[in-house]
Amino acid sequence: MAAAGAASCRSPLAWLFALAAALFFASWYLLLDSTAGPAAAARAYQGLRLGVSGGRRPGPGRKCDPARALLRVYMYDLPPEFHFGLLDWKPPGFGGGVWPDVRGAVPEYPGGLNLQHSIEYWLTLDLLASEQGAPTPCAAVRVRRHADADVVFVPFFASLSFNRHSRVVPPARDSEDRALQRRLLEFLAARPEWRRTGGRDHVVLAHHPNGMLDARYRLWPCVFVLCDFGRYPPSVANLDKDVIAPYRHVVANFANDTAGYDDRPTLLYFQGAIYRKDGGSIRQELYYLLKDEKDVHFSFGSVAGNGIEQATQGMRASKFCLNIAGDTPSSNRLFDSIVSHCVPVIISDEIELPFEDVLVYSKFSVIVRGADAVKKGFLMNLIRGIGREEWTLMWNRLKEVEKHFEYQYPSQTDDAVQMIWKTIARKVPSIRLKINRLRRFPWFETNKTDESPLHSSSWLQNQGP
């Protein structure tokens, strides 16, 4: 009886001890979880918030599934000097790897006009996110074998390299930008992935008109991602094989825009460089035609001082915004207009517009031939003939399509990053056709030097030290 009584007394005590221990460990778990910081909470929230094609939603720590991706991408592990090293990022510790961990803080890209050609940065971040498990729509997924890939991505931040390192710094005889291009060509020439296809499945980003200025003539088989074809001969870049990507806008988005037709007193707005060379001479002609027109703002402007703030206010107060050819057929002004919901008036005969195979620009912009625009009275009669109802339809359409021109990290469904991946994916059948045609001949795999422009050693030797 005594033993049974002792057991019955110990049983409630044991139960209470177990309950207390469980509560103790649960409280410590909650405490530790709360110290993970706002970044971890934000990442968890982003993973739930972002929509994914096919109804899938990537959570924190979940990698994208290559079998369900629209585009499978093999990305070279280039040394950091070609990409994030240009942002002064260094691998942590000894043997820290080639890439930053994008699940936390990512290296910052410089602001100002650098941002307009920053697409290499956004696309590389998205590929890293697909592999590391950061939130992404998973349209493009990084794979580790070339045989499993649709395309090969070359992660060289060419625009940033030009902006930062195109000047020759004595006593050097060549710029660091040219030296990086030369080292990139040497790297590619030695890669079996390049040799198997002659580079025809390689994606090279040179969004700045002067990016890859030397190497572009050796990379002509690749898929270029460009802002326009203004400084490329058709034999090097053309719409059949290449992709036109939008600039990243410089002005801020016009959030919660209720400034409709009557709230925009300026009819037509332009502020920028007026005297340009080559095709940009049309700006000067239009300036003299329009400078005295009522309700028209046509003046010189730049990003210096508060130029971006002035442009932001001017576009938001205008019904139509002029986008005129300059030194090149395109500029970021078009995309500034779009996010300001100022109906673009595009006057650039050589311009190629991003995603035009899926977007109908005439629904949210006015496109005018240069020869018509410089006829006295033609442009103003055209603009004044667009009434409130038609303008409002275009204004509303601008608010619908602006997401397609937005670069951001983490990327979101149908933003600029995802639209570029989808455009590249639509090139894949043509890429495969070109490669398969080359493989008609049994000596293709063993006689690659005849097919690849990178194996011209004389060119490499003549490009300086």
Side-chain angles (χ1 to χ4, degrees):
M1 290 290 294
S8 64
C9 289
R10 285 197 299 269
S11 180
L13 288 174
W15 183 84
L16 287 172
F17 178 78
L19 179 61
L23 291 173
F24 175 82
F25 286 114
S27 64
W28 268 103
Y29 174 82
L30 292 173
L31 178 62
L32 289 172
D33 189 58
S34 68
T35 61
R43 289 197 299 272
Y45 170 72
Q46 290 276 20
L48 293 172
R49 182 172 63 86
L50 298 182
V52 182
S53 59
R56 294 172 290 127
R57 295 177 181 272
R62 177 181 296 176
K63 298 179 181 180
C64 297
D65 180 4
R68 302 181 67 182
L70 182 66
L71 186 70
R72 290 171 293 277
V73 184
Y74 177 86
M75 179 166 69
Y76 288 125
D77 283 320
L78 283 171
E81 65 174 344
F82 290 100
H83 42 82
F84 289 101
L86 291 165
L87 297 171
D88 302 321
W89 175 83
K90 293 180 175 59
F94 179 76
V98 172
W99 303 107
D101 186 342
V102 301
R103 293 167 295 185
V106 299
E108 292 187 7
Y109 202 89
L113 288 180
N114 285 288
L115 279 173
Q116 63 180 333
H117 297 297
S118 58
I119 66 168
E120 301 101 328
Y121 172 76
W122 306 106
L123 291 174
T124 304
L125 283 177
D126 194 62
L127 281 182
L128 293 174
S130 74
E131 183 180 48
Q132 295 181 9
T136 174
C138 295
V141 176
R142 187 183 186 190
V143 295
R144 284 291 178 169
R145 295 196 322 142
H146 179 227
D148 299 329
D150 300 307
V151 294
V152 178
F153 187 82
V154 182
F156 176 38
F157 291 3
S159 299
L160 187 61
S161 177
F162 175 80
N163 282 336
R164 287 197 160 184
H165 300 299
S166 58
R167 293 183 179 179
V168 178
V169 180
R173 293 186 296 162
D174 205 357
S175 70
E176 179 60 19
D177 178 46
R178 292 195 78 195
L180 279 173
Q181 292 179 58
R182 186 167 58 252
R183 291 199 289 273
L184 177 66
L185 292 174
E186 292 168 348
F187 173 89
L188 292 174
R191 295 295 304 193
E193 296 86 4
W194 176 280
R195 298 162 78 92
R196 289 189 193 112
T197 67
R200 286 161 178 81
D201 60 349
H202 282 49
V203 176
V204 172
L205 289 77
H207 200 257
H208 193 293
N210 293 322
M212 290 282 196
L213 196 58
D214 301 304
R216 64 179 63 170
Y217 297 100
R218 295 289 164 177
L219 296 173
W220 58 263
C222 299
V223 176
F224 284 114
V225 182
L226 308 171
C227 65
D228 59 46
F229 300 130
R231 295 181 181 171
Y232 285 77
S235 58
V236 173
N238 55 75
L239 204 57
D240 175 60
K241 74 177 184 70
D242 300 315
V243 172
I244 297 298
Y247 293 65
R248 188 185 188 277
H249 57 85
V250 176
V251 307
N253 296 76
F254 195 175
N256 304 314
D257 174 18
T258 59
Y261 190 86
D262 295 326
D263 301 310
R264 294 174 176 254
T266 302
L267 177 66
L268 185 61
Y269 181 89
F270 178 87
Q271 184 162 306
I274 294 174
Y275 302 100
R276 312 305 289 176
K277 59 187 177 182
D278 301 327
S281 61
I282 192 173
R283 290 191 185 184
Q284 183 177 344
E285 295 183 62
L286 287 171
Y287 170 70
Y288 290 112
L289 279 174
L290 303 176
K291 65 185 180 69
D292 297 323
E293 288 283 350
K294 181 183 177 182
D295 301 333
V296 172
H297 176 96
F298 200 125
S299 70
F300 175 83
S302 71
V303 297
N306 63 342
I308 292 178
E309 182 181 349
Q310 289 179 352
T312 301
Q313 295 173 353
M315 288 183 172
R316 292 181 180 185
S318 304
K319 296 178 179 68
F320 297 91
C321 285
L322 275 171
N323 297 272
I324 317 167
D327 290 343
T328 57
S330 64
S331 76
N332 71 313
R333 187 174 287 101
L334 170 60
F335 309 100
D336 288 344
S337 302
I338 290 172
V339 300
S340 301
H341 311 148
C342 179
V343 175
V345 179
I346 302 170
I347 305 172
S348 179
D349 293 345
E350 302 300 322
I351 196 170
E352 294 292 349
L353 298 168
F355 322 134
E356 198 171 9
D357 55 341
V358 294
L359 295 180
V360 182
Y361 277 77
S362 60
K363 290 185 177 181
F364 55 88
S365 61
V366 179
I367 304 175
V368 183
R369 294 185 181 92
D372 292 330
V374 296
K375 294 176 183 176
K376 188 173 182 178
F378 180 92
L379 187 60
M380 292 311 301
N381 289 335
L382 176 65
I383 297 302
R384 290 196 171 110
I386 299 174
R388 179 200 308 270
E389 183 177 351
E390 186 177 357
W391 181 90
T392 302
L393 287 173
M394 288 191 283
W395 175 64
N396 284 322
R397 183 61 177 157
L398 281 171
K399 291 189 283 186
E400 294 173 3
V401 302
E402 67 174 318
K403 65 181 180 181
H404 301 314
F405 306 100
E406 197 69 44
Y407 291 96
Q408 56 203 328
Y409 180 77
S411 179
Q412 298 186 28
T413 301
D414 288 335
D415 67 2
V417 171
Q418 300 305 315
M419 292 289 282
I420 292 170
W421 289 136
K422 291 178 180 180
T423 306
I424 294 172
R426 291 193 287 274
K427 300 284 186 182
V428 169
S430 175
I431 293 170
R432 288 176 178 159
L433 174 62
K434 293 173 185 175
I435 294 172
N436 289 342
R437 286 174 64 86
L438 286 171
R439 286 175 174 164
R440 290 177 176 182
F441 307 104
W443 54 84
F444 175 72
E445 288 294 329
T446 57
N447 201 26
K448 306 173 191 68
T449 55
D450 293 337
E451 298 294 339
S452 174
L454 295 190
H455 289 83
S456 176
S457 58
S458 61
W459 185 88
L460 292 174
Q461 293 168 358
N462 291 331
Q463 294 306 301

